[in-house]
């Protein structure tokens, strides 16, 4: 296994941005950037022995600076939606940027997916560090986040550690868009999908997760025995209609190993997702739109999917959801792991 460091570009304020490419013993590779801790490339073997880049993205730093889709980015201080752009904690009401209608999405206009991280290589890993000041996008507390990234034998593991000097809600995830047939190779709706979740959260009109979670049994949201997304989109489910004709919902993980997996219908590339977090947002790229990606590819709606492990959306405003508050002086930990293999 090897790691190489390369210059990606320069921020508007003159700071240099570097990328790290991890290469495993089979010639597969992952590239991560100091900007947004973003996954830029994931090159893994298909059943034909060829390498396929299964991560949507861009070629240049300038494109990532202008990105509105969060391609590959780390998400924080709080992943997904917070209703009404506000919450009350310890008797204080905090107001956040309303960047998704009246709600706050993925930490606000300048969440962690718009930040430049510091980096340090140590042996077989790279440690990315961000210092988020008190009231950054409205969130309380000076928070320090460290992501330790490794890529060994086809497995990308992102381990997170975070500390704060004030109580603060936190939910860190990764927002990579996968196409297991290769980025730019069309729709993911015929991928085989399995999500080990017996419950999911319905959503309101702003796609904020609602309590209580309900059974997936007998609904298009039942992926416990696997299947593809394509046929389910024609169910006329009100939940699918309000999510712009696809999935953008919180699944309550049952604690299986793995939490979820997907298989490319053309390449046979298999992605297994593991985490110690309680929920997974399954998103079928319903709002990708039409635009140019890396290597001259064009992306359209449903050309990539995300499996975002994290805390429950809007948990800070919903007491029945698991506690999402990191207490002052405590150290929080979580991890997300993507394991790639191939099915013939």
């Amino acid at each position: 296994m090897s790691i190489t460091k390369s210059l990606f570009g320069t921020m508007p304020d003159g700071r240099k941005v570097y990328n790290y490419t991890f290469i495993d013993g089979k010639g597969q590779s992952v590239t991560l950037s100091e900007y947004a801790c973003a996954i830029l490339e994931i090159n893994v073997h298909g059943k034909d022995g060829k390498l396929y880049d299964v991560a949507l993205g861009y070629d240049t730093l300038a494109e990532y600076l202008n990105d509105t889709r969060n391609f590959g980015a780390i998400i924080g201080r709080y992943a997904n939606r917070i209703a009404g752009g506000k919450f009350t904690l310890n008797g204080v009401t905090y107001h956040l940027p309303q960047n998704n209608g009246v709600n706050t999405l993925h930490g606000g206009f300048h969440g962690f997916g718009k930040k430049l991280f510091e980096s340090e290589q140590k042996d077989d890993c790279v440690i990315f560090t961000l210092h988020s000041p008190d009231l950054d996008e409205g969130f309380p507390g000076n928070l320090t986040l460290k992501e330790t990234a490794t890529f060994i034998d086809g497995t990308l593991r992102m381990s997170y550690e975070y500390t704060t000097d004030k109580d603060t809600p936190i939910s860190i995830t990764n927002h990579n868009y996968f196409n297991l047939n290769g980025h730019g190779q069309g729709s993911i709706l015929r991928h085989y999908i399995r999500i080990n979740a017996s419950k999911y959260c319905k959503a309101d009109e702003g796609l904020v997760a609602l309590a209580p979670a309900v059974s997936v049994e007998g609904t298009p949201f039942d992926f416990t025995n696997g299947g593809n997304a394509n046929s389910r989109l024609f169910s006329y489910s009100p939940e699918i209609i309000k999510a712009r004709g696809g999935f953008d919902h919180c699944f309550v993980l049952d604690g299986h190993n793995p939490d979820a997996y997907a298989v490319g219908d053309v390449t046979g590339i298999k992605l297994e997702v593991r985490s110690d977090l309680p929920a997974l947002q399954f998103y079928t790229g319903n709002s990708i739109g039409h635009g140019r990606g890396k290597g001259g590819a064009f992306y359209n709606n449903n050309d990539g999917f995300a499996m975002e492990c994290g805390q429950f959306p809007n948990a800070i405003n919903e007491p029945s959801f698991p506690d999402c508050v990191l207490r002052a002086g405590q150290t929080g930990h979580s991890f997300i792991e993507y394991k790639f293999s191939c099915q013939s």
Side-chain angles (χ1 to χ4, degrees), residues 11-318:
M11 296 287 287
D13 61 8
R15 290 177 293 170
K16 295 185 182 301
V17 180
Y18 290 91
N19 294 342
Y20 292 86
T21 298
F22 302 70
I23 304 174
D24 73 3
K26 298 178 180 179
Q28 303 177 119
S29 66
V30 168
T31 299
L32 301 177
S33 180
E34 290 180 321
Y35 181 74
C37 256
I39 298 171
L40 306 187
E41 293 185 15
I42 303 174
N43 295 288
V44 291
H45 291 296
K47 62 185 178 182
D48 59 2
K50 297 179 181 179
L51 286 171
Y52 292 85
D53 183 358
V54 298
L56 276 63
Y58 302 108
D59 291 320
T60 67
L61 175 60
E63 289 170 296
Y64 280 97
L65 292 173
N66 293 317
D67 177 45
T68 59
R69 301 174 181 89
N70 298 294
F71 281 161
I74 195 171
I75 301 296
R77 189 172 298 195
Y78 204 90
N80 216 289
R81 293 169 176 85
I82 294 179
K86 62 182 179 180
F87 63 89
T88 299
L89 180 61
N90 299 330
V92 179
T93 298
Y94 295 92
H95 295 272
L96 313 174
Q98 294 173 307
N99 64 326
N100 184 241
V102 298
N103 304 314
T104 300
L105 177 63
H106 293 334
F109 289 107
H110 302 285
F112 292 178
K114 292 294 183 183
K115 308 285 191 185
L116 180 62
F117 285 64
E118 301 170 2
S119 68
E120 179 185 11
Q121 182 179 340
K122 284 189 175 181
D123 300 322
D124 63 352
C125 70
V126 176
I127 302 170
F128 298 92
T129 303
L130 178 69
H131 302 287
S132 173
D134 185 30
L135 298 181
D136 185 10
E137 292 294 274
F139 290 91
N142 294 290
L143 182 134
T144 296
L145 167 67
K146 292 181 182 291
E147 176 187 308
T148 300
T150 60
F151 181 64
I152 300 172
D153 294 333
T155 299
L156 171 62
R157 184 181 176 96
M158 297 164 287
S159 299
Y160 305 108
E161 177 182 296
Y162 24 87
T163 58
T164 180
D165 59 2
K166 290 182 182 178
D167 295 0
T168 190
I170 185 166
S171 179
I172 303 298
T173 195
N174 175 266
H175 204 297
N176 194 65
Y177 290 74
F178 298 97
N179 187 322
L180 299 178
N181 292 331
H183 84 97
Q185 295 303 308
S187 172
I188 50 81
L189 294 178
R190 296 191 182 277
H191 283 28
Y192 178 86
I193 302 290
R194 177 161 179 161
I195 303 173
N196 290 315
S198 54
K199 292 184 178 181
Y200 82 104
C201 295
K202 292 185 176 182
D204 69 12
E205 293 302 320
L207 296 180
V208 175
L210 297 174
V214 298
S215 174
V216 301
E217 188 175 356
T219 77
F221 294 82
D222 188 353
F223 286 95
T224 56
N225 292 313
N228 65 46
N230 190 60
S231 60
R232 301 161 192 253
L233 302 190
F234 301 101
S235 66
Y236 301 105
S237 161
E239 290 298 314
I240 289 176
I241 292 170
K242 73 177 66 169
R244 297 188 179 182
F247 294 90
D248 190 2
H249 292 79
C250 172
F251 287 74
V252 182
L253 295 173
D254 290 337
H256 292 273
N257 185 9
D259 292 310
Y261 68 86
V263 182
D265 52 299
V266 176
T267 62
I269 293 172
K270 181 178 182 180
L271 162 67
E272 297 175 74
V273 179
R274 292 176 173 84
S275 179
D276 55 356
L277 292 157
L280 181 150
Q281 188 83 5
F282 179 49
Y283 176 51
T284 48
N286 318 321
S287 300
I288 290 175
H290 177 73
R292 183 182 293 274
K294 58 189 175 184
F298 276 90
Y299 304 143
N300 297 290
N301 288 346
N302 308 127
D303 279 2
F305 72 92
M307 289 182 169
E308 307 158 52
C309 297
Q311 300 294 337
F312 281 56
N314 197 39
I316 190 63
N317 290 315
E318 179 46 65

